[in-house]
């Protein structure tokens, strides 16, 4: 087979760099686009000497002309503090950026996958969440730039499929963790581990009884690669259905790190979902995919990654201040 030219937008981010490593290992030519608002340059430095890797600093809200065979659209800050820091840009990424990528795919007759999110379900009324559920999202809340942005992106993807017969894929990605996470991006896994490494109290927002289901990044990458090569065009949940409360998760981190940190509680940010658990029946049936790496093993690998970072890297940016996103 001839070598594929694959575009990864948001390619300097957590998911983007892990996906890039996989695609390069398979012999593809990978073009990374990133505006470096949340992606890290040091995470792509290891790819720069590879002749099959191209790095383009660009924001997808502006058009770009490339020759590509496949597109993985991962561009958009994923942690609430990051996407709330500039909500108008977040919405533009999910609308203007999506239109630009869909037009690029159309021009190239390329397959395109959208990294959607479990946040399209909002604060759900059904549990676990299945793809047929339309969700419960506040359209005017502080998270709606991301939640409604991703919902609009799904709309545009399906409309391009219906109107132009474009080969589109939609992955609804649930909480993901693993190596190459930013130490201070405000996600619960990195927050807890970094706080333990720095000897700080572990901070839980809310009463800790809200639940999440965490998927190790290698499993996630396998799922989205299988999805892109499938013949399916409706949304597919990609995540690990092993649910845990945030309070219990904090205790797991304390046991893993061997620290004696206190757990402190702060007020839950507005519209933060109370439950999040994926139903992956569709992925199992259509893709033959389900996660292989359990949370204990995945956290051990993730902890080892964070231990390998220098103190400067652990302190590279201040923690996002969730308190400022609470609306009284």
């Amino acid at each position: 087979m001839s070598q594929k030219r694959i575009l990864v937008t948001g390619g300097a981010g957590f998911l983007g760099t892990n996906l890039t490593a996989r695609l390069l290992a398979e012999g593809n030519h990978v073009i990374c686009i990133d505006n470096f608002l949340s992606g890290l340059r040091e995470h792509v430095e290891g790819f720069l000497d590879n002749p099959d890797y191209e790095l383009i600093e660009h924001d997808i809200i502006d058009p770009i002309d490339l020759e590509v065979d496949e597109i993985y659209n991962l561009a958009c800050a994923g942690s609430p503090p990051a996407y709330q820091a500039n909500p108008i840009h977040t919405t533009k990424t999910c609308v203007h950026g999506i239109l630009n990528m869909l037009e690029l795919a159309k021009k190239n007759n390329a397959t395109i996958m959208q990294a959607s999110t479990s946040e399209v379900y909002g604060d759900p009324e059904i549990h676990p969440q299945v793809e047929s559920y339309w969700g419960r999202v506040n359209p005017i809340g502080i998270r709606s730039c991301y939640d409604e942005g991703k919902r609009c992106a799904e709309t545009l993807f399906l409309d391009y499929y219906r109107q132009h017969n474009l080969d589109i894929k939609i992955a609804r990605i649930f909480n993901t963790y693993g190596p190459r996470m930013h130490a201070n991006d405000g996600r619960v896994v990195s927050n807890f581990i970094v706080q333990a490494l720095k000897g700080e109290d572990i901070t839980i927002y809310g009463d800790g009884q809200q639940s999440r289901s965490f998927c190790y990044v290698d499993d996630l990458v396998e799922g989205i690669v299988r999805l892109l090569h499938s013949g399916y065009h409706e949304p597919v949940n990609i995540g690990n259905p092993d649910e845990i409360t945030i309070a219990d998760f904090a205790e797991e981190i304390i046991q893993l790190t061997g620290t004696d940190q206190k757990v402190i509680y702060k007020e839950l940010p507005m519209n933060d979902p109370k439950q999040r658990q994926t139903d992956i029946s569709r992925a199992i049936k259509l893709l033959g995919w389900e996660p292989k790496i359990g949370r204990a093993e995945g956290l051990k690998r993730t902890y080892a990654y964070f231990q390998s970072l220098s103190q400067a890297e652990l302190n590279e940016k201040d923690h996002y201040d969730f308190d400022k996103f609470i609306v009284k």
Side-chain angles (χ1 to χ4, degrees):
M1 294 179 63
S2 59
Q3 187 182 51
K4 289 183 179 178
R5 290 175 58 83
I6 302 177
L7 173 61
V8 180
T9 71
F14 165 47
L15 294 183
T17 50
N18 279 280
L19 174 62
T20 294
R22 159 76 178 263
L23 296 175
L24 288 172
E26 292 177 342
N28 300 293
H29 185 91
V30 177
I31 304 167
C32 163
I33 286 180
D34 206 291
N35 59 12
F36 293 101
L37 289 180
S38 57
L40 296 178
R41 295 181 187 276
E42 52 264 40
H43 282 179
V44 300
E45 288 176 353
F47 303 134
L48 295 177
D49 291 335
N50 190 323
D52 285 323
Y53 180 78
E54 295 180 53
L55 174 62
I56 301 174
E57 185 170 352
H58 180 80
D59 194 317
I60 66 166
I61 67 173
D62 298 316
I64 190 169
D65 190 14
L66 298 166
E67 292 184 3
V68 294
D69 302 302
E70 298 173 354
I71 301 172
Y72 289 87
N73 187 54
L74 310 181
C76 192
S79 71
Y83 65 66
Q84 291 170 20
N86 192 338
I88 294 173
H89 187 273
T90 298
T91 301
K92 283 185 174 181
T93 302
C94 294
V95 180
H96 297 178
I98 292 298
L99 285 167
N100 288 331
M101 290 302 102
L102 286 166
E103 284 295 319
L104 181 63
K106 181 183 167 201
K107 178 181 178 181
N108 284 275
N109 194 28
T111 301
I112 181 169
M113 192 219 74
Q114 166 64 4
S116 190
T117 171
S118 61
E119 299 302 326
V120 300
Y121 299 122
D123 193 5
E125 300 162 300
I126 68 167
H127 193 73
Q129 291 79 59
V130 296
E131 292 90 345
S132 59
Y133 177 53
W134 290 356
R136 179 170 170 257
V137 173
N138 177 1
I140 58 172
I142 58 172
R143 300 170 65 103
S144 57
C145 58
Y146 186 78
D147 301 359
E148 292 287 28
K150 291 286 191 174
R151 285 161 70 94
C152 183
E154 289 193 10
T155 298
L156 289 168
F157 261 65
L158 266 299
D159 285 341
Y160 266 74
Y161 169 63
R162 298 180 186 112
Q163 191 168 335
H164 300 297
N165 199 31
L166 189 65
D167 189 16
I168 62 101
K169 319 293 175 184
I170 300 172
R172 288 181 178 165
I173 295 172
F174 282 67
N175 295 69
T176 307
Y177 68 100
R180 297 193 177 98
M181 293 186 81
H182 194 298
N184 294 298
D185 75 350
R187 301 179 205 233
V188 66
V189 175
S190 52
N191 272 3
F192 285 2
I193 291 178
V194 170
Q195 285 175 336
L197 283 170
K198 294 166 73 173
E200 299 173 352
D201 294 333
I202 289 180
T203 305
I204 291 178
Y205 293 87
D207 62 7
Q209 295 310 299
Q210 67 270 36
S211 70
R212 297 292 184 269
S213 51
F214 298 101
C215 185
Y216 189 68
V217 67
D218 288 358
D219 284 330
L220 187 284
V221 167
E222 175 67 23
I224 63 175
V225 169
R226 290 195 190 193
L227 177 59
L228 184 129
H229 294 132
S230 74
Y232 195 69
H233 300 102
E234 297 287 329
V236 178
N237 288 341
I238 304 291
N240 191 319
D242 185 13
E243 182 184 19
I244 186 172
T245 67
I246 296 302
D248 287 343
F249 184 65
E251 290 302 319
E252 285 191 352
I253 296 299
I254 290 170
Q255 292 178 20
L256 171 69
T257 59
T259 56
D260 58 357
Q261 269 63 47
K262 294 188 302 181
V263 175
I264 61 174
Y265 293 84
K266 293 188 176 182
E267 190 170 350
L268 188 70
M270 181 181 179
N271 297 139
D272 195 69
K274 307 300 187 301
Q275 290 183 305
R276 184 70 83 233
Q277 182 188 25
T278 179
D279 183 306
I280 59 170
S281 301
R282 182 175 287 182
I284 293 172
K285 179 180 179 181
L286 296 173
L287 310 179
W289 175 87
E290 58 184 319
K292 304 296 184 186
I293 299 170
R295 196 170 58 250
E297 175 61 25
L299 286 176
K300 183 163 57 172
R301 298 183 191 182
T302 305
Y303 181 53
Y305 165 74
F306 280 115
Q307 282 184 306
S308 73
L309 300 180
S310 67
Q311 283 299 313
E313 289 172 309
L314 290 176
N315 292 303
E316 183 178 8
K317 293 179 181 178
D318 291 336
H319 281 289
Y320 290 106
D321 183 4
F322 275 78
D323 294 337
K324 70 181 179 181
F325 300 117
I326 296 172
V327 178
K328 301 296 184 181

